[in-house]
Amino acid sequence: MITVHHLNNSRSQRVLWLLEELDIPYEIVHYQRDPKTMLAPPSLRAVHPLGKSPVVTTDDGLTLAESGAIVETVIERFGNGRLAPAAGSPESLRYRYWLHYAEGSAMPPLLMKLVFDRIEKSKMPFFAKPIARSIAAKAKAGFVTPNITSHLDFMEGELGKSEWFAGDAFTGADIQMSFPVEAAAVRGGLDASRPRLMAYLERIHARPAYRRALERGGPYGLLK
């Protein structure tokens, strides 16, 4: 039995989706973000020292963190050839690339956008507001937004090569890529000007397993 330590509105939602796609039985332990800080509760540190989600544990003593590692390991152990291209195929290289690209390249500028947006909106002494907001605005304009734009253009172009990120078949790479694409739609400027990415979102949201994961995981909305 796999147990998913599931933090609301977090990356762990895609782990639930993965398990639903593979029709693997699992249990959920729910954790709620602190409403003021939006951080995970300290109780998650009892499962993994970093206190982050997702984390999965198994009856045989495995504790595994990091979305990409979880997706890859679950598919290797329990996929029986599903959700991953054949080893050595051109698609397998694309599959591995997108598994790592999602968190290694796509998410950092989106996270920085979230941080600087919050700096602009946060409460602070009146004399500090103009300085903080100016620094945040310059960082976004000079670095964050151009990087997000480059990544969105890149992803849009890659989806012009095939229906899914790793090829013509849906794979675990698409589950991994769902989070940065959804985050870009919430706070990164992704809109109808990039129709392939928007169509990709529609396709993943329509999958029955995605919907079942939402039913089990609870309300899901990414932070702004």
Side-chain angles (χ1 to χ4, degrees):
M1 176 63 69
I2 294 175
T3 299
V4 181
H5 297 268
H6 174 52
L7 179 66
N8 65 307
N9 301 330
S10 78
R11 290 162 169 80
S12 56
Q13 183 63 42
R14 61 185 166 185
V15 176
L16 305 182
W17 177 23
L18 169 68
L19 296 172
E20 289 290 342
E21 289 281 357
L22 292 173
D23 196 24
I24 297 172
Y26 64 95
E27 296 178 347
I28 302 176
V29 178
H30 290 272
Y31 301 81
Q32 296 295 313
R33 293 182 182 274
D34 183 290
K36 292 183 179 180
T37 66
M38 300 310 294
L39 297 176
S43 55
L44 257 175
R45 291 195 181 93
V47 185
H48 189 277
L50 291 179
K52 305 289 186 181
S53 182
V55 179
V56 300
T57 54
T58 63
D59 290 346
D60 60 2
L62 175 68
T63 298
L64 187 62
E66 290 294 338
S67 301
I70 293 170
V71 170
E72 199 164 9
T73 301
V74 168
I75 290 174
E76 286 178 354
R77 284 194 172 195
F78 309 110
N80 296 318
R82 295 170 293 170
L83 297 187
S89 66
E91 290 79 10
S92 69
L93 294 176
R94 292 181 65 186
Y95 168 76
R96 193 173 300 276
Y97 174 79
W98 292 110
L99 276 178
H100 293 275
Y101 170 88
E103 293 294 335
S105 295
M107 277 307 300
L110 290 164
L111 178 58
M112 293 179 70
K113 174 72 161 50
L114 175 65
V115 170
F116 283 119
D117 283 349
R118 291 199 163 193
I119 290 174
E120 289 180 324
K121 299 173 184 176
S122 63
K123 294 181 179 180
M124 63 187 75
F126 73 92
F127 56 84
K129 281 185 179 181
I131 299 172
R133 289 176 177 174
S134 176
I135 292 172
K138 288 180 180 179
K140 289 196 296 183
F143 178 76
V144 178
T145 300
N147 268 275
I148 292 175
T149 299
S150 294
H151 282 291
L152 292 178
D153 289 343
F154 172 60
M155 289 185 279
E156 178 76 8
E158 289 297 300
L159 283 177
K161 298 177 181 179
S162 57
E163 183 177 9
W164 301 102
F165 276 105
D168 293 328
F170 174 84
T171 69
D174 296 295
I175 294 174
Q176 182 71 347
M177 282 297 298
S178 66
F179 194 83
V181 178
E182 288 177 328
V186 171
R187 59 176 179 264
L190 175 58
D191 56 25
S193 64
R194 294 182 176 88
R196 296 188 188 110
L197 281 169
M198 296 303 290
Y200 167 82
L201 281 178
E202 290 181 4
R203 289 196 299 276
I204 64 174
H205 292 165
R207 293 184 71 85
Y210 184 97
R211 296 183 177 183
R212 291 197 301 272
L214 288 178
E215 291 173 2
R216 290 202 60 182
Y220 173 56
L222 298 187
L223 303 180
K224 297 182 180 181

